[in-house]
């Protein structure tokens, strides 16, 4: 085996780019927990008050439509409440010094079509990880240049061609050809900091710990609207979200930046295989009695999709994969999990239902504006009165939990681009839901590492149709009300009409962001994001 140590410690001066420094999430203080409990308690009271108002019998107009509206609306509210439940358990493990002498492997995988220069940068960074380790490139490209890149950077090249199970299959075959006790799975687009393993390995002193996950952060989020939005979607999850899951004993292996104990993987028959192989592996390990640790620290930076088409493909794969876990593994493993783990994984497993609820939100305003059919007899002003406290407390809690972002200097904010892109992806997520129901297979395709040119109409057509429907509907409403609606009817219907138009306006505005992302995809950013990464400027205390 080729033992790879670190390059000499680099002294970090004030001129070094702060972006590439080691970051640690804030500690969780007692007064923080009290404040979270107070706000979530007030939020729970506001939700109960809203439910008491919502489900009054005189609010039901069309029973079937009211039931569908209630399912969509209360799914959204339930996601907010489940987030509060998660934040109530927010916790941060104390750092434990890595003991000397552990035998550690770093696995990174390559697939046909992935850029060679990216691997050169990643493997060079792996060679700089201070804790002694062996880096392995699990390669199925049939390209001799990858072997040379591995050799040049002190990594062991393992050719794994035609292995079923994609990335997870290669990891399992590599486990049979290696013998290190701990395995860091590192995606090839992630550049590790020299202190990576020093921040992780000490937690394995607890023999019950099966895996340790660290945060994911990115270095290309400023290269496009899509990259910024895709990164924004992850900030709260990789900070307070996963800290809450850790507090519930339900940390999730994310597929990258996760270090496993070999014995733990062996106890469940190896790394899970599937489109959501990381999630199923975490559930199986917890069901087998292993503990997990989440370390909310930035000790590497990777890539998010830079174009809308790549984001669509990623979300299709993830949505189909999560449902695969929900339908197959969760039912048989749930009885071996704690109730907190069950709730946490149920929360994750139902995330992509927004692909079903979003079109319901879209349909109801247009159904009323064109046919007069409405699911509920609710005054718009009364709805705002009942729902505003929930919304205000939701925003307040979201602002509060940003204290535990892993890199607040770059991650704090309202994250509106992330919301726009979540909205953009609902047709793709809905497709993933349908494919899961009919058990259709989706090939495992690695997320694109470089921006790809996209065709505007192909990426934007659902949102162009929505904007067309919105403009046509508003024009029709204005024309009818000006030309043929009696004065008395104008006054009686004004609140309902303009309230529905208000509900239809929000997604129409979000679609403008989607159109911008689709238009931007016509001209991807120039150059590769890793071209400007200087490994000598990476790492060190924040």
């Amino acid at each position: 085996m080729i033992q790879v140590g670190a390059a000499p410690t680099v002294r970090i001066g004030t001129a070094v780019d702060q972006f590439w420094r080691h970051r640690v999430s804030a500690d969780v203080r007692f007064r923080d927990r009290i404040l979270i409990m107070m706000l979530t308690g007030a939020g729970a009271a506001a939700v109960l008050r809203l439910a008491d108002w919502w489900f009054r019998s005189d609010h039901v107009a069309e029973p079937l439509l009211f039931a569908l509206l209630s399912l969509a609306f209360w799914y959204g509210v339930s996601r907010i409440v489940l987030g509060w439940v998660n934040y109530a358990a927010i916790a941060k493990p104390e750092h434990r010094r890595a003991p000397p002498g552990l035998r550690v492997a770093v696995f990174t995988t390559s697939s046909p079509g992935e850029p060679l220069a990216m691997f050169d940068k990643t493997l060079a960074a792996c060679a700089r990880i201070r804790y002694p380790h062996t880096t392995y490139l699990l390669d199925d490209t049939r390209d001799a240049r990858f072997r040379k890149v591995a050799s040049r950077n002190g990594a062991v090249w393992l050719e794994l061609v035609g292995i079923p199970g994609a990335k997870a299959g290669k990891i399992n075959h590599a486990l049979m050809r290696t013998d290190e006790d701990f395995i860091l799975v590192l995606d090839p687009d992630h550049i590790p900091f020299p202190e990576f393993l020093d921040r992780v390995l000490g937690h394995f002193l607890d023999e019950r710990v099966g895996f340790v996950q660290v945060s994911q952060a990115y270095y290309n989020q400023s290269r496009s609207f899509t990259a910024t939005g895709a990164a924004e979607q992850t900030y709260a999850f990789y900070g307070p979200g996963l800290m809450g899951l850790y507090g519930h004993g339900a940390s999730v292996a994310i597929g990258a930046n996760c270090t496993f104990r070999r014995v733990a993987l062996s106890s469940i028959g190896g790394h899970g295989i599937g489109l959501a192989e990381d999630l199923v592996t975490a559930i199986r390990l917890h069901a087998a009695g292993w503990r997990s640790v989440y370390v909310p620290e930035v000790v590497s930076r990777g890539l998010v999709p830079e174009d809308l088409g790549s984001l669509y493909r990623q979300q299709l794969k993830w949505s189909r994969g999560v449902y695969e876990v929900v339908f197959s593994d969760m039912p048989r493993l749930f009885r071996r999990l704690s109730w907190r783990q069950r709730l946490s994984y149920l929360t994750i497993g139902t995330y992509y239902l927004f692909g079903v609820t979003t079109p319901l939100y879209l349909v109801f305003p247009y159904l009323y504006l064109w046919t007069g059919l409405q699911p509920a007899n609710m005054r718009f002003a009364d709805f705002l009165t009942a729902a505003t406290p929930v919304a205000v407390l939701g925003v307040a809690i979201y602002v509060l939990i940003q204290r535990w972002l892993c890199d607040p200097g770059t991650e704090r904010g309202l994250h509106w681009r992330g919301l726009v892109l979540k909205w953009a992806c609902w047709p793709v997520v809905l497709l993933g839901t349908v494919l899961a129901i009919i058990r259709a297979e989706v090939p495992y395709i690695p997320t694109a590492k470089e921006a790809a040119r996209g065709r505007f109409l192909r990426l934007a057509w659902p949102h162009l149709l929505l904007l067309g429907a919105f403009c046509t509907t508003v024009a029709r409403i204005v024309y009818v009300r000006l030309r043929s609606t009696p004065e008395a009817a104008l006054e009686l219907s004004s609140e309902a009409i303009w309230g529905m138009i208000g509900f239809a306006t929000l997604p129409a505005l979000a679609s403008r962001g989607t159109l911008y992302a689709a238009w931007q995809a016509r001209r991807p950013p120039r150059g590769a994001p890793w071209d400007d990464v200087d490994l000598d400027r990476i790492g060190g205390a924040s």
Side-chain angles (χ1 to χ4, degrees):
M1 299 291 181
I2 301 174
Q3 291 297 323
V4 180
T9 301
V10 178
R11 297 294 179 184
I12 306 295
T14 56
V16 174
D17 185 0
Q18 295 289 317
F19 185 73
W20 286 97
R21 292 262 188 121
H22 170 219
R23 302 290 184 182
V24 181
S25 181
D27 292 334
V28 183
R29 303 167 299 187
F30 177 73
R31 63 186 181 188
D32 295 324
R33 295 189 183 280
I34 295 298
L35 184 55
I36 290 175
M37 290 175 62
M38 291 173 59
L39 287 175
T40 54
V47 169
L48 290 174
R49 177 175 176 270
L50 174 60
D52 176 68
W53 175 84
W54 181 278
F55 290 106
R56 294 175 183 174
S57 58
D58 58 334
H59 285 167
V60 180
E62 296 287 341
L64 178 59
L65 295 180
F66 183 80
L68 292 174
L69 175 63
S70 296
L71 284 173
F73 179 78
W74 285 97
Y75 167 77
V77 174
S78 72
R79 301 301 304 181
I80 297 173
V81 173
L82 288 170
W84 296 345
V85 172
N86 189 51
Y87 300 142
I90 195 168
K92 177 185 174 184
E94 292 186 7
H95 174 64
R96 304 184 71 173
R97 187 182 183 89
L102 298 182
R103 301 179 64 249
V104 184
V106 177
F107 286 178
T108 191
T109 61
S110 59
S111 298
E114 292 186 309
L116 181 68
M118 179 186 70
F119 285 88
D120 199 8
K121 188 77 69 172
T122 296
L123 292 174
C126 288
R128 292 170 175 249
I129 296 177
R130 283 193 288 265
Y131 197 95
H133 64 283
T134 304
T135 300
Y136 295 88
L137 176 61
L138 317 184
D139 179 35
D140 73 344
T141 63
R142 301 179 188 269
D143 186 337
R145 296 177 301 164
F146 280 78
R147 184 173 188 172
K148 293 178 181 178
V149 163
S151 177
R152 183 168 64 245
N153 291 290
V156 177
W157 176 76
L158 295 180
E159 186 174 34
L160 299 171
V161 176
I163 303 297
K167 171 185 169 181
K170 285 183 279 191
I171 290 172
N172 288 334
H173 273 71
L175 287 172
M176 293 187 289
R177 296 172 60 177
T178 58
D179 60 2
E180 286 83 0
D181 297 317
F182 302 95
I183 299 94
L184 164 61
V185 176
L186 187 75
D187 274 1
D189 62 325
H190 280 258
I191 296 176
F193 295 5
E195 58 266 48
F196 192 119
L197 292 174
D198 294 309
R199 307 301 301 179
V200 167
L201 293 175
H203 295 288
F204 287 106
L205 290 171
D206 183 346
E207 295 291 336
R208 299 170 296 171
V209 171
F211 70 90
V212 179
Q213 175 70 52
V214 302
S215 174
Q216 285 194 31
Y218 311 99
Y219 66 92
N220 69 326
Q221 59 260 53
S222 63
R223 284 170 55 89
S224 69
F225 181 89
T226 296
T228 302
E232 286 182 354
Q233 289 181 352
T234 70
Y235 292 155
F237 177 71
Y238 285 119
L242 272 171
M243 291 172 72
L245 289 173
Y246 167 67
H248 283 298
S251 301
V252 180
I254 306 300
N257 297 346
C258 191
T259 306
F260 295 95
R261 189 189 296 271
R262 177 183 290 271
V263 173
L265 286 178
S266 297
S267 72
I268 60 169
H271 200 288
I273 292 176
L275 296 176
E277 78 282 352
D278 43 7
L279 177 61
V280 72
T281 301
I283 294 175
R284 289 175 182 175
L285 286 170
H286 284 131
W290 293 97
R291 293 186 59 224
S292 58
V293 176
Y294 176 65
V295 178
E297 302 183 18
V298 176
V299 286
S300 77
R301 286 192 180 271
L303 302 177
V304 285
E306 294 185 356
D307 65 279
L308 192 58
S310 296
L311 181 67
Y312 282 168
R313 288 187 289 273
Q314 179 197 71
Q315 293 299 307
L316 176 62
K317 179 180 71 175
W318 285 358
S319 60
R320 176 64 181 90
V322 167
Y323 283 123
E324 183 177 71
V325 176
V326 170
F327 293 155
S328 59
D329 281 78
M330 283 190 180
R332 62 185 181 83
L333 294 177
F334 255 35
R335 59 184 178 83
R336 295 157 58 187
L337 301 173
S338 70
W339 71 266
R340 298 171 78 182
Q341 290 172 332
R342 294 174 188 174
L343 181 63
S344 297
Y345 285 130
L346 187 63
T347 301
I348 296 171
T350 55
Y351 171 78
Y352 286 106
L353 282 175
F354 78 84
V356 176
T357 60
T358 300
L360 291 176
Y361 280 121
L362 291 177
V363 165
F364 286 126
Y366 293 99
L367 186 65
Y368 174 76
L369 293 171
W370 283 89
T371 70
L373 283 174
Q374 57 182 349
N377 295 317
M378 298 177 182
R379 294 185 65 245
F380 184 64
D382 292 342
F383 171 76
L384 289 180
T385 300
T388 296
V390 177
V392 169
L393 286 164
V395 172
I397 293 172
Y398 189 74
V399 171
L400 171 65
I401 58 95
Q402 291 192 33
R403 167 179 168 77
W404 296 285
L405 295 174
C406 292
D407 187 8
T410 59
E411 296 177 357
R412 186 181 286 116
L414 294 179
H415 305 150
W416 63 270
R417 298 173 190 84
L419 289 175
V420 166
L421 285 192
K422 182 177 179 179
W423 156 252
C425 289
W426 76 260
V428 176
V429 172
L430 178 60
L431 175 60
T433 305
V434 173
L435 294 176
I437 292 172
I438 65 176
R439 303 297 177 97
E441 294 298 325
V442 172
Y444 186 101
I445 301 175
T447 301
K449 306 304 188 291
E450 294 180 279
R453 189 179 302 275
R455 294 167 58 186
F456 176 74
L457 288 177
R458 184 175 181 180
L459 296 172
W461 69 265
H463 304 282
L464 286 172
L465 288 178
L466 176 65
L467 281 175
F470 175 77
C471 294
T472 301
T473 300
V474 172
R476 174 184 175 274
I477 292 297
V478 171
Y479 177 81
V480 169
R481 290 177 71 80
L482 287 177
R483 296 295 300 270
S484 59
T485 305
E487 189 69 28
L490 284 175
E491 185 174 349
L492 289 174
S493 63
S494 180
E495 181 179 347
I497 289 289
W498 295 111
M500 286 295 185
I501 289 178
F503 281 124
T505 299
L506 294 177
L509 290 175
S511 290
R512 295 179 62 188
T514 305
L515 297 184
Y516 176 71
W519 184 261
Q520 196 178 55
R522 297 167 56 252
R523 297 180 179 177
R526 293 183 178 180
W530 50 83
D531 288 343
D532 297 326
V533 176
D534 183 354
L535 298 183
D536 291 329
R537 298 165 65 88
I538 294 177
S542 58

